[in-house]
Amino acid sequence: MATRFGILGAGGISRRFASVLKECGCAELSAVAARDLDRAEAFAREFGANAAYGDYDALLADPAVDAVYVGLTHNLHADLVRRALLAGKAVLCEKPMAVCAADARALADLAREKNLLLMEGMWTRCMPAVRRATQWVQKGVIGPVRLLRAAFCFDAPFDPQSRLFNPDLCGGALLDAGVYPIEFAMGVLGEHPVETAGVQLPAETGVDAMDLFSMRFPSGAMAELSCSISLALPTDAVILGARGSIVVRDFLRSTRCELYDSHGDCVATFTEDVEDGFVYEIEHFCALFESGAKESPLVPLADTIACAEVFDALLRR
């Protein structure tokens, strides 16, 4: 039976989600809601939704909606996830689900109290190439990890009103881009940082335009990470171990990872091409929902909380 989704928001990320949803046999688009009813109705016609609403709570009250996808700006995520859980809906929320650890903990507690599935939309962690690299690490193929390097940096035109640069919309590089290398590191290593330190370059609006930071983990592994909305950098991630290394090509949307021995010789590769990696996130969430699971093993709520704790530590500085 297909999971019936309701989408909150009709912007770019929601359009991408709806487009991929049409290709997934495990899901269907039941409804969409936007603050502008005309926009919601146009979205519904384009993507074949059965209902359109000009009010988010009206969608949450729709009995034909099993699960909600939250595709709005960061500042709205926590409140709408809370309202969706209180309405009895399973929730898949675009990253970051919460911009501070207190909100992340409260949402996780509420989901458990209501016995509902809640997952942050960290689609990169569902990609087969990232999962294979993670398996190599956790099986000890390269020995204990010493250092992990990853960056998500792009150059966006400065617009003080855009979601990237507007502090009222929780803009900034860390919340929009930094979440990816943070969660990549935690997912690959299978642990949470015990120490975080970094520096940032502010934009004219006061949000962080660039962040350089490091994390230390209980195993002794270190992560050297960066994010930016004002400078583009390559997105290959490197995991260096005592007996070898792994390169995850373009870790954000990776289709390839490579395993190297201690001499630097490539000894194994994994590739899987896909048109849009969102499909793996959707299929994973639907499988969880159909099985009655309440949490994802690929994107556990503990990782969402730990990532928000990194936000707290770095943004306070």
Side-chain angles (χ1 to χ4, degrees):
M1 183 176 179
T3 303
R4 301 172 299 175
F5 274 91
I7 295 179
L8 299 182
I13 195 67
S14 292
R15 293 179 63 82
R16 179 182 165 199
F17 184 86
S19 178
V20 177
L21 198 71
K22 291 175 66 175
E23 308 303 319
C24 296
C26 63
E28 64 182 50
L29 180 56
S30 183
V32 61
R35 286 176 293 184
D36 183 333
L37 179 58
D38 290 341
R39 193 178 185 197
E41 289 175 339
F43 189 104
R45 287 192 298 270
E46 181 176 357
F47 294 104
N50 298 323
Y53 299 101
D55 177 83
Y56 300 136
D57 290 314
L59 182 147
L60 297 178
D62 188 338
V65 171
D66 298 318
V68 169
Y69 171 74
V70 180
L72 293 151
T73 51
H74 304 155
N75 58 307
L76 300 175
H77 287 183
D79 180 57
L80 285 170
V81 170
R82 180 186 61 81
R83 286 154 65 179
L85 292 171
L86 290 174
K89 307 298 186 186
V91 182
L92 174 60
C93 180
E94 190 52 50
K95 60 77 197 168
M97 187 168 72
V99 300
C100 67
D103 283 349
R105 293 189 197 98
L107 294 175
D109 288 345
L110 181 59
R112 291 166 182 146
E113 176 189 330
K114 297 296 183 182
N115 199 32
L116 292 166
L117 172 61
L118 174 62
M119 175 179 153
E120 183 177 44
M122 186 50 57
W123 64 280
T124 56
R125 288 177 67 167
C126 302
M127 295 286 287
V130 173
R131 295 179 67 178
R132 178 57 58 89
T134 302
Q135 289 170 2
W136 283 339
V137 168
Q138 296 183 354
K139 287 180 179 179
V141 176
I142 62 171
V145 174
R146 303 301 192 208
L147 179 64
L148 182 151
R149 290 176 173 154
F152 181 22
C153 300
F154 58 92
D155 188 6
F158 178 71
D159 176 357
Q161 298 306 313
S162 74
R163 67 174 186 84
L164 291 175
F165 292 97
N166 188 338
D168 293 335
L169 302 181
C170 293
L174 190 66
L175 296 177
D176 193 75
V179 60
Y180 287 104
I182 293 169
E183 296 223 18
F184 174 79
M186 292 193 303
V188 166
L189 298 174
E191 54 183 350
H192 301 153
V194 293
E195 185 178 359
T196 303
V199 293
Q200 68 174 222
L201 177 69
E204 293 177 32
T205 55
V207 303
D208 54 310
M210 181 185 299
D211 300 85
L212 305 176
F213 55 103
S214 59
M215 300 192 300
R216 181 173 63 85
F217 292 84
S219 64
M222 299 283 286
E224 185 179 89
L225 310 175
S226 57
C227 59
S228 177
I229 53 176
S230 61
L231 175 71
L233 289 177
T235 54
D236 291 350
V238 180
I239 308 158
L240 302 164
R243 297 192 298 273
S245 61
I246 298 167
V247 178
V248 182
R249 300 296 177 187
D250 188 9
F251 84 95
L252 294 166
R253 54 191 68 82
S254 184
T255 61
R256 179 182 177 90
C257 59
E258 301 158 0
L259 175 64
Y260 294 84
D261 63 19
S262 58
H263 303 291
D265 295 324
C266 185
V267 295
T269 63
F270 174 88
T271 60
E272 181 164 333
D273 293 331
V274 62
E275 187 171 339
D276 193 312
F278 244 160
V279 68
Y280 296 109
E281 174 184 292
I282 293 170
E283 289 176 346
H284 176 60
F285 184 87
C286 289
L288 293 172
F289 181 79
E290 290 301 319
S291 70
K294 308 306 176 188
E295 190 170 342
S296 166
L298 298 181
V299 194
L301 294 173
D303 284 12
T304 299
I305 294 169
C307 184
E309 288 173 343
V310 174
F311 296 159
D312 286 352
L314 293 175
L315 293 177
R316 273 201 309 268
R317 293 176 189 271

